[in-house]
Amino acid sequence: MQASFVVNLGEQAHVPMISFSATSPSLTSLWSSYFFQFAQNDLNQVKAISGIVQNFGWRRVVPIYVDNIYGEGVIPFLIDALQEVDVHIPYRSLIHELATDDQIEKELYKLMTMQTRVFIVHMMPNLASRLFAKAKEMGMMSEGFVWITTNGIGNNLKSMASVLDSMQGLLGVETYIPRTLKLRQFISRWKRQFQLDNPKIIGVELDAFGLRAYDAAFAVAMAFEKVANVGFKFQKRNASSFNSTDLDTFEVSHYGSKLSHALSIINFKGMAGDFNLVDRQLQASTFEIVNVNGYGARTVGYWTPENGRVVKWLNSTRNRTISTSKCDLGPIIWPGESLSVPKGWEIPTNGTKLRIGVPVKEGLLEFVKVTRCPSTNTVDVTGCSIDVFKAVLEILPYALPYEFVPFAMANGSSAGTYNDLVFQVYAGKFDAVVGDITIRANRSLYVGFTMPYTESGVVMVVPIQDKRTKSAWVFLKPLTWDLWMTTLCFFIFIGFVIWVLEHQINDDFRGSPSHQVGTSFWFSFSTMVFSQREKVVSNLARFVMIIWIFVVLIVTQSYTASLASLLTVQQLQPTVTDIDDLLRNRDNVGYTTNSFIYGLLRQKGFHDSRLKDYGTMEEIDEALSKGSANGGIAAIVHETPYMKLFVAKYCSKYTMIGPIFKTDGFGFVFPKGSPLIPDVSQAILNLTEGEKIMNIEDKWINKENNCKDPSTEKFYSSSLGLESFWGLFLIAGVASLFALLIFATSFLHKNKQVLMSSDSRASKWRRIRTMFKIFNEKELSSHTFKNSRHDARIAGAPDHELNASPNNNWPESPFSYTNQTDAASVFYGEQETPSHGQASPEIVPTFELAAFTNQEMHATPETAQERV
């Protein structure tokens, strides 16, 4: 308040006003070009304090501050800084600057009855001395408590040596002053001078405010030197400009603006550190974090505006790595001489138990069941959620006294919906809620949730029915159409490959064109049942058949198994697979009473007349059995844990579809920002990773499951597709092409004289026709025909029968010619005369050769020449 008044005077007189002790952030709102704040702004130290709280993971703190403008000026900024790091302020303790010891004791006792054990103290040193003395007397400076002080106390710790015994273990924030040689020499000179001027005062120390005052005087001196050639004259103002006659004598400086400008650009290394002004305010500096032990304070860390966080060392590469550890500071001795970091909260010392609300309902009691004994007027609460909560408390490293309080009216019925129950925590009637409480966004606006301990999601349960195919064309269903077509194409392709490989050497694949086509297709398709009677004699054909028969074996066996499954195995499929189908068909849909599922279904678009609520599993089973057309329902929509319980009870009658909506599962409810939430959540994670949670579920959810899991009895048989067999077809195709390639290479090599003849009179088309004619003839040199002729000679067959071609529809192969003339002689269809005028003995027209008898084919070359 003093600074605000003086600043106003300086603005009127155009005289720079300098403050080296006013630290309130509210002064920044007093815009004046003549006000200079050389003291460290408290806005910077609140970030340092929030950094300390965040470093140790405390979730709740209580500020204790003096009830005046000094205390109230920093609290709004402190609360904002703490909320930025997700720290809750459950209570603010105000102590009047003239409070008596009894009043201080009363306020401290109120704090002892709360859970929070982290306190931030912001007041002047004289009041703080009385506060800590009373706190020690009441046992609040013992193990488990945390005390943090602002720099209003931290900067004066040296002057509070007489009361340090009652401040042991606290953490203080104070302005960091570099211990330079220049500073040590100055302090030595100052002490000598102070002792000469005040011989009766002993042990005085120069604190941060004193050093700032020295730097302020030094800055003013430098500013005067910059404007030393200017006279400092004042001019009287008109009295009419002021309403108060006390200011009539005020004069206005002519050169105050120049002095103000000179001060704003001053920059030097002062006794308290770098002196640099930004908007006439001292720039943010480093804060030192100290721990009071013994007869003084020990530095344990720093907060720097560059890092914006608590660090252990200044100007160290170790500070560049951001750490989430609670050991970013040096060793700290906490109140009660404890070396363990306090958890920041305790059970209130007044001995009261946590009032834990539990829901009361009629159906689905496996999660929470409330039983009241009329004779003893006691309540017994059991269920899966209750056992999970008790198991979590066993994992916590501390005891947590509690009592279950049913959310019920006097007659024992439920007192409201689950939303009403959750709101009781926000209203302060319950300290927590335990039960099958779903984590919802609208609820989290008022309360805090732990980690979920069950599966998440909303599912739909529908009846299942046997959908075995009863159709005359069911034999086509085992394979998809792409697999049918691929198999057909390969049967044709394999028949063609075998015909090519066997045509020249196997009589079974010779004859008229229609006979050959029929034989090839018959042979290929008969492999499907392994009934082919034709033999393959070439090694290439045998290689192809080995692979193809293996492919056919796999496909036929798979087809047989799939067809048998379609005809014999029970096909259990849901009656509905999509909630949109229910909406389009206008079917009735069920939900449980007082459930949030009703709101989800209405948002989905279901009319209120199509939604029916049920309270017990028996009612749900009856409604599903009737069906929507008979006044029942087509599906029941609820959360996964409930529906797992329902499906387990009724075995194979129903199945779950979904999740169709997303939820976060069941969790425990605590007040928003409660320090119990992180501990309980960690205990839930430990519990769900072990076997105990499975034992609890088996005890409550699966206790009535005396039959097989319905999912094991459902066989959703589908057709076999090409994706399951494309590898086999690829192998068969590659092998067939490889065999064709080897055959073609061998055939062309044997008959290369036809294609490579140097005679220019043979066109390419004639050469190709000749190659096809050669391919169509028997390869008498094959071992199959050699064996046949040998057997015939043994049987006494004449030579002309041995050499006769079995296919009289086509000319014989040139390879059967006994005169062994060049195969190129078959290129010409008519007699041609060589250029020298004589007939070539090597040219034999094709149509003449086809008419020769067997005896003529054995004639000498001279006779053949004469006949030509």
Side-chain angles (χ1 to χ4, degrees):
M1 294 176 64
Q2 296 171 1
S4 177
F5 176 74
V6 174
V7 167
N8 185 46
L9 294 181
E11 182 69 21
Q12 297 292 338
H14 293 183
V15 174
M17 293 294 175
I18 300 172
S19 172
F20 58 84
S21 60
T23 61
S24 175
S26 61
L27 294 175
T28 57
S29 62
L30 301 175
W31 187 92
S32 173
S33 58
Y34 295 96
F35 175 57
F36 292 84
Q37 190 175 6
F38 286 1
Q40 185 68 45
N41 196 319
D42 286 338
L43 184 60
N44 297 316
Q45 74 163 329
V46 299
K47 297 179 181 178
I49 293 173
S50 66
I52 297 174
V53 175
Q54 183 184 26
N55 182 76
F56 291 103
W58 296 315
R59 312 306 300 172
R60 283 188 169 191
V61 299
V62 171
I64 306 174
Y65 55 97
V66 61
D67 188 11
N68 60 19
I69 193 171
Y70 171 75
E72 295 175 352
V74 73
I75 290 302
F77 301 96
L78 176 62
I79 293 176
D80 290 343
L82 291 172
Q83 289 179 345
E84 287 180 2
V85 295
D86 198 22
V87 176
H88 183 55
I89 312 294
Y91 178 74
R92 290 187 289 180
S93 176
L94 282 77
I95 298 179
H96 196 274
E97 56 184 336
L98 301 179
T100 63
D101 289 348
D102 291 340
Q103 292 173 331
I104 295 176
E105 181 179 357
K106 182 179 179 180
E107 186 65 23
L108 291 177
Y109 180 79
K110 185 186 298 183
L111 297 179
M112 289 183 64
T113 61
M114 300 179 183
Q115 291 185 357
T116 306
R117 290 294 182 264
V118 181
F119 307 110
I120 300 176
V121 182
H122 177 67
M123 56 185 60
M124 298 305 294
N126 55 348
L127 182 59
S129 301
R130 298 169 54 203
L131 174 72
F132 286 113
K134 186 58 67 176
K136 181 180 180 181
E137 180 183 327
M138 298 176 61
M140 296 181 69
M141 298 302 296
S142 58
E143 184 177 358
F145 287 86
V146 178
W147 296 88
I148 303 174
T149 62
T150 61
N151 65 352
I153 301 173
N155 290 340
N156 293 278
L157 285 176
K158 293 181 180 179
S159 62
M160 300 172 66
S162 59
V163 294
L164 286 182
D165 183 60
S166 60
M167 302 171 65
Q168 296 294 305
L170 67 78
L171 292 178
V173 175
E174 63 180 53
T175 304
Y176 172 66
I177 306 295
R179 272 67 170 177
T180 62
L181 177 61
K182 179 181 177 181
L183 176 62
R184 291 195 297 268
Q185 293 173 350
F186 168 76
I187 292 178
S188 178
R189 294 196 311 269
W190 180 86
K191 283 185 176 181
R192 287 197 302 268
Q193 184 64 40
F194 185 86
Q195 200 67 38
L196 291 175
D197 296 339
N198 305 276
K200 296 182 180 181
I201 302 177
I202 301 175
V204 175
E205 296 288 342
L206 192 62
D207 58 15
F209 291 109
L211 296 176
R212 291 297 185 196
Y214 181 86
D215 288 344
F218 195 86
V220 172
M222 293 180 65
F224 268 97
E225 289 180 352
K226 290 182 180 293
V227 293
N229 57 344
V230 178
F232 296 96
K233 298 180 179 180
F234 290 84
Q235 179 182 358
K236 287 188 178 181
R237 302 191 61 172
N238 295 329
S240 59
S241 61
F242 296 93
N243 295 326
S244 174
T245 58
D246 294 338
L247 299 178
D248 289 346
T249 59
F250 253 70
E251 297 180 346
V252 179
S253 172
H254 287 181
Y255 306 103
S257 60
K258 292 184 178 180
L259 183 60
S260 177
H261 176 71
L263 277 172
S264 63
I265 61 175
I266 293 294
N267 187 356
F268 64 95
K269 279 190 173 295
M271 292 300 173
D274 292 337
F275 189 93
N276 185 20
L277 299 178
V278 178
D279 294 332
R280 295 175 302 280
Q281 183 175 336
L282 191 66
Q283 68 173 357
S285 64
T286 301
F287 286 95
E288 191 173 5
I289 302 171
V290 297
N291 180 215
V292 176
N293 297 125
Y295 298 101
R298 176 173 50 86
T299 301
V300 295
Y302 302 88
W303 182 91
T304 61
E306 294 80 13
N307 291 327
R309 62 186 181 92
V310 175
V311 295
K312 188 175 182 179
W313 310 98
L314 282 178
N315 303 323
S316 174
T317 56
R318 285 175 287 184
N319 297 332
R320 297 177 184 175
T321 303
I322 298 178
S323 173
T324 58
S325 170
K326 295 183 179 180
C327 301
D328 259 2
L329 298 175
I332 298 175
I333 300 177
W334 302 96
E337 298 184 356
S338 173
L339 298 178
S340 302
V341 178
K343 62 176 180 291
W345 66 276
E346 294 288 348
I347 301 301
T349 57
N350 55 10
T352 59
K353 299 179 180 181
L354 291 179
R355 287 174 52 84
I356 299 180
V358 292
V360 176
K361 52 185 180 178
E362 297 180 359
L364 299 173
L365 302 178
E366 285 75 9
F367 288 95
V368 178
K369 182 179 181 181
V370 178
T371 305
R372 186 181 297 274
C373 180
S375 58
T376 60
N377 197 26
T378 58
V379 175
D380 183 30
V381 183
T382 58
C384 179
S385 299
I386 304 302
D387 284 359
V388 171
F389 179 72
K390 292 179 179 179
V392 166
L393 295 187
E394 293 177 359
I395 299 177
L396 292 178
Y398 47 84
L400 192 67
Y402 65 91
E403 61 176 345
F404 290 123
V405 181
F407 184 54
M409 295 187 294
N411 59 1
S413 61
S414 176
T417 65
Y418 275 50
N419 286 339
D420 298 332
L421 173 59
V422 170
F423 189 78
Q424 301 306 309
V425 177
Y426 176 76
K429 295 183 179 180
F430 290 142
D431 297 315
V433 169
V434 171
D436 46 347
I437 311 297
T438 304
I439 302 174
R440 300 284 294 161
N442 61 329
R443 296 171 180 173
S444 64
L445 297 176
Y446 306 98
V447 297
F449 285 95
T450 63
M451 293 289 292
Y453 59 89
T454 61
E455 295 182 62
S456 62
V458 175
V459 297
M460 177 175 64
V461 171
V462 298
I464 53 178
Q465 61 183 2
D466 186 7
K467 291 189 176 182
R468 279 180 289 186
T469 304
K470 300 176 179 64
S471 171
W473 303 98
V474 67
F475 66 91
L476 295 176
K477 191 174 181 180
L479 306 182
T480 59
W481 282 109
D482 56 348
L483 183 55
W484 277 116
M485 297 306 298
T486 302
T487 305
L488 176 63
C489 292
F490 261 83
F491 273 123
I492 298 173
F493 175 66
I494 294 297
F496 169 75
V497 172
I498 298 301
W499 174 78
V500 171
L501 299 177
E502 295 287 315
H503 177 65
Q504 286 188 299
I505 61 176
N506 193 339
D507 287 336
D508 290 336
F509 292 90
R510 299 186 64 83
S512 62
S514 60
H515 174 76
Q516 295 182 50
V517 171
T519 301
S520 300
F521 285 170
W522 159 256
F523 176 80
S524 178
F525 282 94
S526 62
T527 58
M528 185 166 51
V529 292
F530 310 104
S531 63
Q532 67 276 12
R533 61 180 180 82
E534 292 80 8
K535 295 181 179 180
V536 290
V537 296
S538 69
N539 290 330
L540 290 176
R542 290 170 178 171
F543 167 70
V544 172
M545 287 304 298
I546 289 174
I547 296 178
W548 175 242
I549 289 176
F550 175 74
V551 173
V552 171
L553 175 65
I554 297 298
V555 174
T556 54
Q557 292 296 323
S558 301
Y559 172 85
T560 303
S562 181
L563 181 61
S565 175
L566 286 172
L567 296 176
T568 59
V569 178
Q570 191 178 28
Q571 305 292 311
L572 298 178
Q573 295 184 359
T575 55
V576 181
T577 59
D578 192 349
I579 191 172
D580 292 328
D581 295 337
L582 298 173
L583 194 60
R584 284 190 295 266
N585 299 334
R586 296 186 178 182
D587 290 329
N588 295 334
V589 177
Y591 65 95
T592 56
T593 307
N594 294 331
S595 173
F596 69 93
I597 302 298
Y598 173 79
L600 294 179
L601 294 175
R602 288 302 307 271
Q603 293 177 9
K604 186 68 177 177
F606 285 93
H607 193 268
D608 190 58
S609 61
R610 297 296 178 183
L611 300 178
K612 298 185 177 182
D613 63 318
Y614 299 95
T616 64
M617 287 192 291
E618 290 74 15
E619 294 177 354
I620 297 173
D621 175 51
E622 182 181 355
L624 286 173
S625 300
K626 288 182 179 180
S628 180
N630 299 321
I633 56 176
I636 179 74
V637 178
H638 211 343
E639 294 174 87
T640 302
Y642 296 116
M643 293 298 94
K644 284 181 61 178
L645 179 64
F646 178 76
V647 173
K649 182 176 182 179
Y650 291 99
C651 298
S652 60
K653 292 179 63 176
Y654 308 104
T655 185
M656 289 194 302
I657 305 295
I660 56 177
F661 299 109
K662 179 64 177 177
T663 60
D664 290 329
F666 295 163
F668 302 135
V669 182
F670 289 93
K672 203 171 184 65
S674 171
L676 282 171
I677 293 178
D679 291 345
V680 175
S681 296
Q682 183 62 49
I684 289 176
L685 290 177
N686 295 337
L687 181 66
T688 54
E689 291 176 358
E691 296 182 357
K692 193 165 186 179
I693 187 68
M694 302 300 297
N695 297 333
I696 295 175
E697 290 184 358
D698 291 340
K699 174 184 176 182
W700 292 100
I701 299 179
N702 300 326
K703 64 179 181 178
E704 298 184 12
N705 188 7
N706 298 322
C707 54
K708 296 181 180 179
D709 187 350
S711 61
T712 62
E713 300 180 5
K714 302 170 189 172
F715 298 89
Y716 296 98
S717 179
S718 59
S719 301
L720 299 174
L722 182 60
E723 63 275 2
S724 302
F725 300 96
W726 69 268
L728 290 173
F729 287 112
L730 177 63
I731 294 174
V734 171
S736 301
L737 293 176
F738 181 67
L740 286 177
L741 179 63
I742 294 178
F743 173 80
T745 303
S746 176
F747 178 75
L748 292 176
H749 178 70
K750 290 180 180 180
N751 301 279
K752 61 182 179 179
Q753 67 277 10
V754 176
L755 298 176
M756 301 177 60
S757 175
S758 59
D759 198 326
S760 60
R761 293 169 297 175
S763 64
K764 292 183 178 179
W765 176 243
R766 289 183 179 274
R767 296 170 189 264
I768 294 174
R769 286 181 58 191
T770 302
M771 294 297 292
F772 276 107
K773 290 178 180 180
I774 295 174
F775 170 74
N776 192 55
E777 295 298 327
K778 284 185 178 181
E779 186 178 346
L780 297 178
S781 60
S782 171
H783 68 282
T784 57
F785 294 130
K786 288 181 179 180
N787 293 338
S788 299
R789 288 198 300 269
H790 178 69
D791 295 339
R793 288 192 184 98
I794 295 175
D799 291 341
H800 69 275
E801 292 182 5
L802 296 177
N803 295 327
S805 175
N807 181 12
N808 296 326
N809 296 328
W810 300 93
E812 293 184 354
S813 171
F815 293 105
S816 64
Y817 302 162
T818 56
N819 60 356
Q820 301 297 319
T821 57
D822 194 281
S825 59
V826 300
F827 286 158
Y828 312 107
E830 59 183 18
Q831 182 177 355
E832 298 185 13
T833 305
S835 59
H836 51 76
Q838 295 180 356
S840 174
E842 301 296 325
I843 299 177
V844 182
T846 303
F847 63 88
E848 294 288 347
L849 291 177
F852 288 166
T853 63
N854 186 59
Q855 293 178 352
E856 291 172 337
M857 290 298 297
H858 287 78
T860 61
E862 291 77 5
T863 306
Q865 178 69 19
E866 292 176 358
R867 292 178 180 175
V868 172

